[in-house]
Amino acid sequence: MANLGNSPLRTKADLERFETEMSLAERLPEQSILDVFIASAARDPDATAMTMLMTGAPDEHPRRVSYGDTLGMVRRAANLFHDLGGPAPGVAFMLPTLIETHVTLWGAETAGYAVPINFLLQTESIAELLKASGAKILVALGPHPGSDIWEKALDLRAMMPELTLVRVAPPGTAEQPDVVDFGSALMTQPADHLTFGAPRGGDDIAAYFHTGGTTGVPKLVAHTHRSQLVATFGGAAMCGYTPSDVLTATFPLFHVAGTIVAGLSGFMAGIELVIMSPTGLRNPAITEAFWRIVADHKVTLVAGVPTALGAVLQTPVGEHDICAVRAGLTGAALLPPAVSQRFTEVTGATLFEILGMTEASGLISIDPPGGEGASGSVGWPLPYTHVDVRRQIADGELGAVCDVGEIGVIAIRGDHLSPGYRDPSHNSGVFIDCTLNSGDLGYKDEQGRLYIAGRSKDLIIRSGHNIDPTMIENALASHSAVALAAAVGMPDAYAGELPMCIVQLHEGQQINETDLQAHAERMIDERPAWPKKIEIIDEIPLTTVGKIYKPGLRCIAAKLTMMRVIHGDLGLPEAEIEVADGGVRGLRVTVTLAADQETAASKVRAALAAYLFETKVEVV
């Protein structure tokens, strides 16, 4: 059983002591994902592993599953997948967050490897992922009036007849030809042992998670049992999880945050996960009832992406007793300072940031909830791993380690790193001599804490959803009137960033933004990637070698947002707005007001606090 230590990790000195007291091998004897569930069931088989809320209604009777029952279901699922797919089958799944989703994921990793799929993608994109992964089995949510998952699954099987289709549906759902019913098939399998021998473990592939855009060949990131276990252990230790903790499980299980730090790390420590409906905080009823649920289930750890937490923090706590909350955990996107401050005002606790990445099996560093918290910091690296901030030299290569406070590229080493992409051609420039080049910019303070300072890569991060700008650019560039298209993140108070595309037309061509928007929506199958704004300009700025100069375009996007907020929403047309590239958060915004507008300055400062860039308000 993993040894997570006897006291919370609060400081860098605590981490150093933790690492010197025992080796990683001594602290982490588990060799497979199944070992995590075996150990937790041995510790307390009757303890609740998962509490499933379907609606969050006050009179709902939640479904609760113990650690002993969870272990049995994982074994049953592994046995089923082996029977259906043979040795080490690839098992893809399109499921909302359910107890069955956890059973599918961990059972698939025990028998073969899992391929979690974002079911919001278009069918053609999912088909590419399935083909690239080599999955033999597809587990999908059965017919449901609020979802098109099952319709997509049937279309996928028509496109790929070799797929074995497994349906997760309520008992009594009418049978369908050539479809395996997950619930009934599970019960035909033994729960106390594996029928095929030893579980997968060690350096065996446990899963392929998709990342990046969905155009061209999909990028599938490999996780091994070892890499997931090291990340899982680090998450449990750094978060200070104990069996008395109750965590709000709001991340989807096709995302590494839901899989590792808000999933397997919790199971390793024996905590209770409260699954807040199949769609989590995208369910308005759950958002409205959030604080009542937190009180009713004596939640100790509130977790979610910044945008979702920002929404629930607008809901009054009322008379609900939430004194059990000891901390908040957030990640997947940068945390706006205003959300952090509001969390403390509402709960009396601190919201701690986590840095994760699919290529690092979900986790890189954590600002430990046992500590005091450092505003804007994503804390220290996981135990027994290393994170350096390195200078970027010619051709994007990594140079020497930066000085304290110096911005550079975040580079990671450790056993939690992925062995690479399923297609090795994608490894170039990312996996370099046992080091992961994250593509993120950051710096460290004198205590060794890590801070994020923007991205050297151009991903647009909308509410934790990574959007490849290339798919937007390619879509708009396919229009005959468009000469150049450049997609950038437009600052947004709620989502952090929204996709915006700046377009240069061919000489003599005329078209309006509305028609370009319609064209983009026809061409882009990933709805979150639809541009929220398209701006036509005379000439897109280029570098001396002819590349689009995106820092300048980000400044344009930020200025347009600020003009809307300050000139429009706040009614200050005389305010001067300057936007410059750089700073610890990638952009600097300066607003200058006249001397008689001191009162208005406070409103401007409050409005800008919701954004992720550096801000300065001057009254002259």
Side-chain angles (χ1 to χ4, degrees), residues 249-281:
T250 63
F251 297 98
L253 288 175
F254 56 74
H255 193 288
V256 287
T259 303
I260 303 299
V261 72
L264 198 60
S265 291
F267 293 136
M268 180 174 281
I271 74 174
E272 176 186 348
L273 299 184
V274 178
I275 302 174
M276 303 186 79
S277 88
T279 54
L281 292 178

Short mmCIF file of all heavy atoms in Angstrom, two decimals, residues 249-281:
data_model
loop_
_atom_site.label_atom_id
_atom_site.label_comp_id
_atom_site.label_asym_id
_atom_site.label_seq_id
_atom_site.Cartn_x
_atom_site.Cartn_y
_atom_site.Cartn_z
N ALA A 249 -16.35 15.58 -7.51
CA ALA A 249 -15.83 15.05 -8.77
C ALA A 249 -16.60 15.69 -9.91
O ALA A 249 -17.74 15.30 -10.21
CB ALA A 249 -15.96 13.53 -8.81
N THR A 250 -16.01 16.71 -10.53
CA THR A 250 -16.71 17.48 -11.56
C THR A 250 -16.03 17.43 -12.92
O THR A 250 -16.58 17.94 -13.89
CB THR A 250 -16.82 18.96 -11.13
OG1 THR A 250 -15.51 19.52 -11.01
CG2 THR A 250 -17.54 19.09 -9.80
N PHE A 251 -14.84 16.85 -13.00
CA PHE A 251 -14.12 16.79 -14.27
C PHE A 251 -14.57 15.56 -15.07
O PHE A 251 -14.77 14.49 -14.50
CB PHE A 251 -12.61 16.67 -14.04
CG PHE A 251 -11.99 17.84 -13.34
CD1 PHE A 251 -11.76 17.81 -11.98
CD2 PHE A 251 -11.62 18.98 -14.05
CE1 PHE A 251 -11.17 18.88 -11.32
CE2 PHE A 251 -11.04 20.06 -13.41
CZ PHE A 251 -10.81 20.01 -12.04
N PRO A 252 -14.70 15.67 -16.40
CA PRO A 252 -15.03 14.49 -17.20
C PRO A 252 -13.86 13.51 -17.22
O PRO A 252 -12.70 13.90 -17.04
CB PRO A 252 -15.28 15.08 -18.59
CG PRO A 252 -14.48 16.34 -18.62
CD PRO A 252 -14.52 16.89 -17.23
N LEU A 253 -14.15 12.25 -17.46
CA LEU A 253 -13.11 11.23 -17.42
C LEU A 253 -12.40 11.03 -18.76
O LEU A 253 -11.56 10.15 -18.88
CB LEU A 253 -13.69 9.90 -16.92
CG LEU A 253 -14.02 9.90 -15.42
CD1 LEU A 253 -14.70 8.60 -15.03
CD2 LEU A 253 -12.78 10.12 -14.58
N PHE A 254 -12.71 11.87 -19.75
CA PHE A 254 -11.85 11.89 -20.93
C PHE A 254 -10.76 12.94 -20.76
O PHE A 254 -9.95 13.14 -21.66
CB PHE A 254 -12.65 12.14 -22.22
CG PHE A 254 -13.49 13.40 -22.22
CD1 PHE A 254 -12.92 14.65 -22.36
CD2 PHE A 254 -14.88 13.31 -22.11
CE1 PHE A 254 -13.69 15.80 -22.38
CE2 PHE A 254 -15.66 14.46 -22.12
CZ PHE A 254 -15.06 15.71 -22.26
N HIS A 255 -10.75 13.61 -19.61
CA HIS A 255 -9.74 14.62 -19.28
C HIS A 255 -8.85 14.07 -18.17
O HIS A 255 -9.35 13.46 -17.22
CB HIS A 255 -10.43 15.91 -18.83
CG HIS A 255 -9.53 17.10 -18.76
ND1 HIS A 255 -8.57 17.25 -17.77
CD2 HIS A 255 -9.44 18.20 -19.54
CE1 HIS A 255 -7.94 18.40 -17.96
NE2 HIS A 255 -8.44 18.99 -19.02
N VAL A 256 -7.54 14.31 -18.27
CA VAL A 256 -6.62 13.74 -17.28
C VAL A 256 -6.86 14.26 -15.87
O VAL A 256 -6.52 13.60 -14.89
CB VAL A 256 -5.15 13.96 -17.68
CG1 VAL A 256 -4.77 13.06 -18.84
CG2 VAL A 256 -4.88 15.42 -18.01
N ALA A 257 -7.45 15.45 -15.73
CA ALA A 257 -7.73 15.97 -14.38
C ALA A 257 -8.75 15.07 -13.68
O ALA A 257 -8.61 14.76 -12.48
CB ALA A 257 -8.26 17.40 -14.45
N GLY A 258 -9.78 14.65 -14.40
CA GLY A 258 -10.77 13.76 -13.81
C GLY A 258 -10.23 12.36 -13.58
O GLY A 258 -10.65 11.66 -12.65
N THR A 259 -9.27 11.96 -14.39
CA THR A 259 -8.71 10.61 -14.29
C THR A 259 -7.73 10.47 -13.14
O THR A 259 -7.79 9.51 -12.36
CB THR A 259 -7.98 10.25 -15.60
OG1 THR A 259 -8.89 10.37 -16.68
CG2 THR A 259 -7.45 8.83 -15.54
N ILE A 260 -6.83 11.45 -12.98
CA ILE A 260 -5.72 11.31 -12.04
C ILE A 260 -6.00 12.05 -10.73
O ILE A 260 -6.44 11.46 -9.75
CB ILE A 260 -4.40 11.75 -12.67
CG1 ILE A 260 -4.13 10.94 -13.95
CG2 ILE A 260 -3.25 11.56 -11.69
CD1 ILE A 260 -4.00 9.44 -13.76
N VAL A 261 -5.78 13.35 -10.66
CA VAL A 261 -5.83 14.04 -9.37
C VAL A 261 -7.22 14.01 -8.74
O VAL A 261 -7.35 13.95 -7.52
CB VAL A 261 -5.31 15.50 -9.50
CG1 VAL A 261 -6.30 16.38 -10.24
CG2 VAL A 261 -4.98 16.08 -8.13
N ALA A 262 -8.28 14.04 -9.56
CA ALA A 262 -9.64 13.98 -9.02
C ALA A 262 -10.25 12.60 -9.21
O ALA A 262 -11.46 12.43 -9.12
CB ALA A 262 -10.52 15.03 -9.68
N GLY A 263 -9.39 11.60 -9.44
CA GLY A 263 -9.86 10.24 -9.62
C GLY A 263 -8.96 9.25 -8.92
O GLY A 263 -9.14 8.96 -7.73
N LEU A 264 -7.95 8.76 -9.63
CA LEU A 264 -7.11 7.69 -9.10
C LEU A 264 -6.33 8.11 -7.85
O LEU A 264 -6.13 7.30 -6.94
CB LEU A 264 -6.16 7.21 -10.19
CG LEU A 264 -5.52 5.83 -9.97
CD1 LEU A 264 -6.56 4.74 -9.87
CD2 LEU A 264 -4.55 5.52 -11.12
N SER A 265 -5.89 9.38 -7.77
CA SER A 265 -5.22 9.85 -6.56
C SER A 265 -6.14 9.72 -5.35
O SER A 265 -5.69 9.35 -4.26
CB SER A 265 -4.78 11.32 -6.72
OG SER A 265 -3.76 11.46 -7.66
N GLY A 266 -7.40 10.05 -5.55
CA GLY A 266 -8.36 9.91 -4.46
C GLY A 266 -8.56 8.47 -4.05
O GLY A 266 -8.60 8.15 -2.86
N PHE A 267 -8.65 7.57 -5.04
CA PHE A 267 -8.82 6.15 -4.71
C PHE A 267 -7.60 5.61 -3.97
O PHE A 267 -7.73 4.77 -3.08
CB PHE A 267 -9.07 5.35 -5.99
CG PHE A 267 -10.37 5.66 -6.69
CD1 PHE A 267 -10.42 5.82 -8.06
CD2 PHE A 267 -11.55 5.78 -5.97
CE1 PHE A 267 -11.61 6.10 -8.71
CE2 PHE A 267 -12.76 6.06 -6.60
CZ PHE A 267 -12.78 6.22 -7.98
N MET A 268 -6.41 6.07 -4.35
CA MET A 268 -5.20 5.60 -3.67
C MET A 268 -5.23 5.97 -2.18
O MET A 268 -4.76 5.20 -1.34
CB MET A 268 -3.96 6.20 -4.33
CG MET A 268 -2.64 5.77 -3.69
SD MET A 268 -1.18 6.36 -4.59
CE MET A 268 -1.10 5.18 -5.94
N ALA A 269 -5.79 7.14 -1.86
CA ALA A 269 -5.83 7.60 -0.47
C ALA A 269 -7.08 7.15 0.27
O ALA A 269 -7.17 7.32 1.49
CB ALA A 269 -5.74 9.12 -0.44
N GLY A 270 -8.05 6.58 -0.45
CA GLY A 270 -9.27 6.10 0.21
C GLY A 270 -10.31 7.15 0.46
O GLY A 270 -11.15 7.02 1.36
N ILE A 271 -10.33 8.24 -0.34
CA ILE A 271 -11.31 9.29 -0.13
C ILE A 271 -12.64 8.92 -0.78
O ILE A 271 -12.75 7.93 -1.50
CB ILE A 271 -10.81 10.65 -0.68
CG1 ILE A 271 -10.87 10.70 -2.21
CG2 ILE A 271 -9.40 10.95 -0.20
CD1 ILE A 271 -10.52 12.06 -2.78
N GLU A 272 -13.65 9.74 -0.56
CA GLU A 272 -14.96 9.57 -1.20
C GLU A 272 -15.10 10.60 -2.31
O GLU A 272 -14.92 11.80 -2.10
CB GLU A 272 -16.09 9.76 -0.19
CG GLU A 272 -17.49 9.69 -0.81
CD GLU A 272 -18.60 10.02 0.17
OE1 GLU A 272 -18.31 10.07 1.40
OE2 GLU A 272 -19.74 10.24 -0.27
N LEU A 273 -15.43 10.13 -3.52
CA LEU A 273 -15.72 11.03 -4.63
C LEU A 273 -17.23 11.23 -4.73
O LEU A 273 -17.98 10.25 -4.79
CB LEU A 273 -15.22 10.45 -5.96
CG LEU A 273 -13.73 10.18 -6.12
CD1 LEU A 273 -13.45 9.71 -7.55
CD2 LEU A 273 -12.91 11.40 -5.82
N VAL A 274 -17.66 12.48 -4.72
CA VAL A 274 -19.07 12.79 -4.95
C VAL A 274 -19.21 13.21 -6.41
O VAL A 274 -18.78 14.29 -6.81
CB VAL A 274 -19.57 13.91 -4.02
CG1 VAL A 274 -21.03 14.25 -4.34
CG2 VAL A 274 -19.44 13.49 -2.57
N ILE A 275 -19.77 12.31 -7.22
CA ILE A 275 -19.92 12.57 -8.65
C ILE A 275 -21.17 13.43 -8.83
O ILE A 275 -22.29 12.97 -8.61
CB ILE A 275 -20.02 11.25 -9.44
CG1 ILE A 275 -18.77 10.39 -9.20
CG2 ILE A 275 -20.20 11.53 -10.93
CD1 ILE A 275 -18.84 9.01 -9.83
N MET A 276 -20.96 14.65 -9.25
CA MET A 276 -22.03 15.65 -9.26
C MET A 276 -22.77 15.66 -10.59
O MET A 276 -22.64 16.59 -11.38
CB MET A 276 -21.47 17.02 -8.90
CG MET A 276 -20.76 17.01 -7.55
SD MET A 276 -20.21 18.61 -6.98
CE MET A 276 -21.74 19.30 -6.35
N SER A 277 -23.50 14.56 -10.84
CA SER A 277 -24.30 14.32 -12.04
C SER A 277 -23.41 13.91 -13.20
O SER A 277 -22.21 14.19 -13.21
CB SER A 277 -25.17 15.53 -12.42
OG SER A 277 -24.48 16.42 -13.26
N PRO A 278 -23.99 13.26 -14.21
CA PRO A 278 -23.19 12.81 -15.36
C PRO A 278 -22.48 13.94 -16.09
O PRO A 278 -21.43 13.72 -16.70
CB PRO A 278 -24.23 12.13 -16.25
CG PRO A 278 -25.30 11.67 -15.30
CD PRO A 278 -25.36 12.73 -14.26
N THR A 279 -23.03 15.16 -16.06
CA THR A 279 -22.42 16.27 -16.79
C THR A 279 -21.74 17.27 -15.86
O THR A 279 -21.29 18.33 -16.32
CB THR A 279 -23.47 17.00 -17.65
OG1 THR A 279 -24.57 17.40 -16.83
CG2 THR A 279 -23.97 16.10 -18.76
N GLY A 280 -21.63 16.96 -14.60
CA GLY A 280 -20.89 17.81 -13.67
C GLY A 280 -21.43 19.22 -13.59
O GLY A 280 -22.66 19.44 -13.56
N LEU A 281 -20.54 20.19 -13.58
CA LEU A 281 -20.95 21.58 -13.42
C LEU A 281 -21.44 22.21 -14.72
O LEU A 281 -21.73 23.41 -14.75
CB LEU A 281 -19.80 22.39 -12.82
CG LEU A 281 -19.46 22.02 -11.37
CD1 LEU A 281 -18.29 22.83 -10.86
CD2 LEU A 281 -20.67 22.21 -10.46
#
